[in-house]
Amino acid sequence: MDHKDSYIFSSESVGEGHPDKVADSISDSVLDAVFAQDKFSRVACETLVKSNHVVIAGELTTKAKVNFEEVVRAAIREIGYVNDDDVFHADKVFFTNLLTKQSPDIAQGVDERKASGKKHSKMGAGDQGIMFGYASNETDELMPAPVMFAHRLNRELARIRKSGARGTEWIRPDCKSQVAVRYENGKLKEITNVVISTQHTADVSHSQIEKFCINQIIHKVLPKHLIGKKTEFLINPTGRFVIGGPQGDCGLTGRKIIVDSYGGMGRHGGGAFSGKDPTKVDRSAAYMARWVAKHIVDSGVADRCELQVAYAIGHPEPTSLHLDTFGTGNMSDASILAAVKEVFLFNPAEIIKQLDLRRPIYRASTHYGHFGKKGLPWEETKQLAKFVKALHQQS
């Protein structure tokens, strides 16, 4: 991407009631419920939601005793599917549990013991794969602006809906947003268009929805200096969005991986996050790569960067690390990567230790992206001083 060009980049987000996010939320709620009792559990929970049905399936190894039906209904209730006219309702959905024990063939490669005859006792990666971490200084969260702006819209819609504010009873849980931002010379110039589609009751007019979304959502949460007279607002473009959520569409865990990460601005390895314990590098290594990328940008050594890490199943160390600062670094990428290797460890056991991942923190990551939110360990640059020192040693 040439920073000298003027270009428009768009990213989307989905709300808590979107069927795929409902599935993600249930999967992470299952994970947290298990971790609350047994921090050494192995969990791979997939969820399918459709109409008035919920199915959870996958692999589980744990000493925890959990009423999964109660966990599922609580997750749905928290999202807000509790209205009398909801086909998908927290207290009325049919529930099927297809969780089984994890395959010993996978477990032997992950366990901290000799695996496949190799002379190591470190925890191996739970699968092969590539993971990416990205950071940019264009927002306070060190995230790409388009996806952060899109998240803000859905978060505010949910906040108002759950507040029960008078005159907003028409808002229902399912929603989507999209924001297009124009860049000039790599810098934010303006928001060119904003799309919001929100589920609603049948008795509210389109003009009322449009006025509310523009005045109470868009103008409230997006930067005023980036919205101009030419900014286009597209509110419920189909004109009607009464039937939504799992009633209107099937939801599956892991179908919103770009919403979960960087909105397409940074690359994604393809593995989903929700429902997986941290021995699965799809999740933990993506968090680690983000943590490292954020340290790089927060240190001031680069304006933006992307880190790739790759693993082989059962093998404890990464098969490769690659760093790209897109020409924004004030020292070579090779030198920055050398400093990274001095400070950070990338084998799965050390990732879990460095980020303290064996605890029930995952429901907090599910909605509005897994990155760019306070309170998550991979967003806290606690090794910044040590990393800056390592950079100085490379210069």
Side-chain angles (χ1 to χ4, degrees):
M1 190 179 293
D2 191 342
H3 273 202
K4 295 180 181 179
D5 290 340
S6 174
Y7 60 90
I8 295 173
F9 196 94
S10 298
S11 294
E12 72 159 342
S13 177
V14 299
E16 298 172 23
H18 185 282
D20 292 331
K21 270 296 143 199
V22 173
D24 285 342
S25 181
I26 290 172
S27 291
D28 276 336
S29 294
V30 167
L31 174 61
D32 275 3
V34 171
F35 259 27
Q37 296 183 35
D38 179 4
K39 67 179 183 178
F40 292 105
S41 299
R42 298 270 173 78
V43 182
C45 179
E46 310 291 346
T47 302
L48 178 149
V49 294
K50 176 56 185 167
S51 299
N52 60 345
H53 286 72
V54 175
V55 178
I56 61 172
E59 295 75 49
L60 181 66
T61 301
T62 185
K63 296 178 181 178
K65 303 296 182 181
V66 177
N67 185 324
F68 291 115
E69 182 172 353
E70 287 185 359
V71 171
V72 167
R73 294 189 188 281
I76 298 169
R77 190 174 298 110
E78 184 177 352
I79 290 168
Y81 283 110
V82 292
N83 300 289
D84 292 339
D85 57 349
D86 287 333
V87 170
F88 185 81
H89 190 290
D91 299 325
K92 301 175 184 177
V93 293
F94 293 97
F95 170 70
T96 302
N97 179 5
L98 299 177
L99 288 171
T100 61
K101 190 173 182 179
Q102 183 188 43
S103 163
D105 294 341
I106 296 175
Q108 73 171 2
V110 179
D111 289 344
E112 296 186 36
R113 62 189 184 198
K114 291 182 180 179
S116 303
K118 297 178 181 178
K119 297 179 180 179
H120 64 70
S121 58
K122 294 180 180 178
M123 177 189 295
D127 202 353
Q128 71 175 49
I130 57 174
M131 298 84 203
F132 291 91
Y134 183 89
S136 169
N137 65 3
E138 65 190 61
T139 63
D140 291 340
E141 299 91 347
L142 302 187
M143 285 285 288
V147 72
M148 288 309 298
F149 293 167
H151 288 326
R152 290 179 192 176
L153 298 171
N154 288 331
R155 186 182 287 112
E156 183 63 10
L157 259 174
R159 187 195 69 78
I160 293 175
R161 171 174 60 84
K162 292 181 178 182
S163 74
R166 186 176 180 181
T168 63
E169 298 87 354
W170 54 269
I171 306 174
R172 288 294 183 262
D174 195 358
C175 61
K176 299 179 75 172
S177 64
Q178 186 170 287
V179 178
V181 177
R182 185 163 70 87
Y183 291 80
E184 284 189 3
N185 299 317
K187 302 297 182 182
L188 302 176
K189 185 66 176 180
E190 63 178 344
I191 294 172
T192 61
N193 61 73
V194 180
V195 182
I196 295 178
S197 293
T198 180
Q199 185 187 8
H200 58 86
T201 59
D203 59 351
V204 65
S205 69
H206 183 270
S207 61
Q208 183 180 345
I209 297 170
E210 187 174 45
K211 182 179 179 180
F212 172 83
C213 288
I214 293 173
N215 295 332
Q216 301 301 318
I217 304 296
I218 294 173
H219 284 301
K220 184 174 180 180
V221 304
L222 297 185
K224 293 179 173 57
H225 69 283
L226 295 178
I227 297 177
K229 294 181 179 179
K230 294 183 179 179
T231 303
E232 184 179 18
F233 303 129
L234 300 170
I235 311 301
N236 280 22
T238 64
R240 182 178 171 87
F241 186 6
V242 174
I243 297 174
Q247 179 186 0
D249 194 8
C250 179
L252 295 170
T253 302
R255 281 207 301 199
K256 288 294 175 281
I257 59 174
I258 302 303
V259 171
D260 286 345
S261 53
Y262 307 103
M265 186 74 78
R267 284 177 283 195
H268 195 295
F273 304 148
S274 291
K276 298 177 181 177
D277 75 79
T279 66
K280 280 74 170 175
V281 285
D282 277 345
R283 185 169 210 164
S284 57
Y287 291 169
M288 183 67 184
R290 161 63 178 173
W291 193 47
V292 174
K294 193 171 182 182
H295 275 82
I296 292 170
V297 172
D298 207 14
S299 74
V301 74
D303 291 340
R304 67 188 184 107
C305 71
E306 182 179 74
L307 180 71
Q308 185 203 55
V309 58
Y311 293 91
I313 188 168
H315 190 70
E317 299 299 332
T319 57
S320 70
L321 285 171
H322 173 71
L323 176 68
D324 189 351
T325 61
F326 308 98
T328 68
N330 55 37
M331 61 192 300
S332 72
D333 289 354
S335 296
I336 297 172
L337 186 58
V340 166
K341 292 178 180 178
E342 283 291 319
V343 176
F344 303 100
L345 299 172
F346 289 87
N347 70 70
E350 291 297 336
I351 290 174
I352 291 170
K353 185 183 298 183
Q354 290 167 104
L355 295 175
D356 191 15
L357 296 179
R358 289 194 186 276
R359 51 197 174 113
I361 58 174
Y362 296 100
R363 288 175 60 220
S365 71
T366 311
H367 301 301
Y368 317 116
H370 288 240
F371 309 120
K373 295 188 291 192
K374 294 180 180 179
L376 298 173
W378 49 91
E379 292 298 314
E380 300 172 2
T381 52
K382 292 183 177 181
Q383 296 295 323
L384 188 58
K386 188 175 181 180
F387 179 64
V388 169
K389 183 179 179 180
L391 286 172
H392 289 160
Q393 292 173 347
Q394 293 296 323
S395 59

